[in-house]
Amino acid sequence: MVLVLNKPAGMPVHSVAGGKSLHLSQLLYAWQYGLKQPPLLAHRLDRDTSGCLILARHRQAMIRMTELFATRQVEKCYWAVLDGVPATESGTIDAPLVDMKRPGGVTVRLARPDDGDEALEAVTEWRVLAVQDRRTWIEFRPRTGRSHQLRVHAASVLGCPIVGDRLYGRHEAAGLHLHARSVSFAPRANKPPLEINAPVPDGLAEVLARFPYVPSPD
């Protein structure tokens, strides 16, 4: 019913306005595996984010995944490195967001009281895994799936942008330090949930190795 890819950082999942570069949607035929149609994107990841990306193999699977996302039955875990150290070790951010159109894409900001219906619910649970040299290895568990949610919550609420975030922080040659580490969901209602972990890309793995924290080997 589903496939989960470990998407590389730097590859967009779909075409953007005015963009001519290769995107993942053009390659989905490679994962048909005998079906008449290529799989469908069940959700999105930012171009510069690596990690777990769920594909629905056919329309019925897409209906199921849409239902799971709509009812918040897909557990997502992200690892990131922040530029700075949050004031506490864990918490829940409940801060609505507003999409702002710009040439070539979208930026997002925190909602203001006068934004009305433009303000979209955005909730993120987080906890610090380790701190080293004024940088923080953090785990995010978003409860909603807004565009740039983790990036804006990190920069505008925690006051610590994700390292390499060229929109909400400072660009670095190593790129955005954000990885969709795992997803957990039940493709069929009568089956137990699956949990899929995406290996961390080499560059980010080297950065995480400097922190005084060793996660489980799964």
Side-chain angles (χ1 to χ4, degrees):
M1 288 188 66
V2 296
L3 300 167
V4 180
L5 304 183
N6 187 8
K7 187 189 85 67
M11 174 171 281
V13 298
H14 54 76
S15 178
V16 296
K20 297 181 180 180
S21 61
L22 182 70
H23 54 86
L24 189 65
S25 295
Q26 295 172 305
L27 306 177
L28 295 180
Y29 66 87
W31 296 286
Q32 283 182 224
Y33 297 126
L35 298 185
K36 293 182 179 180
Q37 299 294 329
L40 304 166
L41 290 164
H43 64 128
R44 302 285 189 271
L45 288 179
D46 291 346
R47 180 188 66 183
D48 296 327
T49 302
S50 60
C52 292
L53 180 68
I54 304 170
L55 306 180
R57 294 199 65 202
H58 45 71
R59 191 159 299 280
Q60 282 302 114
M62 187 64 179
I63 292 171
R64 172 65 176 169
M65 291 309 308
T66 299
E67 175 189 0
L68 292 178
F69 275 107
T71 55
R72 301 185 183 180
Q73 296 183 66
V74 180
E75 178 80 16
K76 295 179 287 183
C77 173
Y78 290 76
W79 282 351
V81 178
L82 304 186
D83 187 4
V85 181
T88 59
E89 293 187 353
S90 63
T92 299
I93 300 169
D94 187 350
L97 302 174
V98 173
D99 290 346
M100 305 287 291
K101 300 292 184 181
R102 65 178 177 84
V106 172
T107 55
V108 176
R109 63 168 172 80
L110 295 179
R112 298 188 289 257
D114 60 350
D115 283 322
D117 292 341
E118 293 185 1
L120 302 174
E121 180 188 18
V123 179
T124 304
E125 295 178 2
W126 62 274
R127 68 184 180 107
V128 170
L129 299 181
V131 174
Q132 182 75 22
D133 298 329
R134 297 298 301 170
R135 288 193 166 179
T136 303
W137 179 359
I138 197 168
E139 176 186 279
F140 288 120
R141 291 186 180 270
R143 299 309 174 196
T144 52
R146 306 304 179 193
S147 295
H148 298 185
Q149 175 176 320
L150 302 182
R151 298 164 66 179
V152 175
H153 278 176
S156 299
V157 179
L158 297 181
C160 306
I162 297 175
V163 172
D165 192 336
R166 55 197 173 91
L167 286 179
Y168 308 104
R170 294 182 297 178
H171 174 71
E172 294 195 10
L176 183 69
H177 288 31
L178 179 61
H179 178 67
R181 169 61 175 166
S182 68
V183 290
S184 178
F185 58 95
R188 298 184 187 276
N190 59 345
K191 299 291 184 180
L194 302 174
E195 181 172 346
I196 300 96
N197 295 303
V200 179
D202 291 344
L204 181 57
E206 293 177 6
V207 172
L208 297 183
R210 302 171 193 156
F211 285 86
Y213 171 75
V214 179
S216 59
D218 60 356

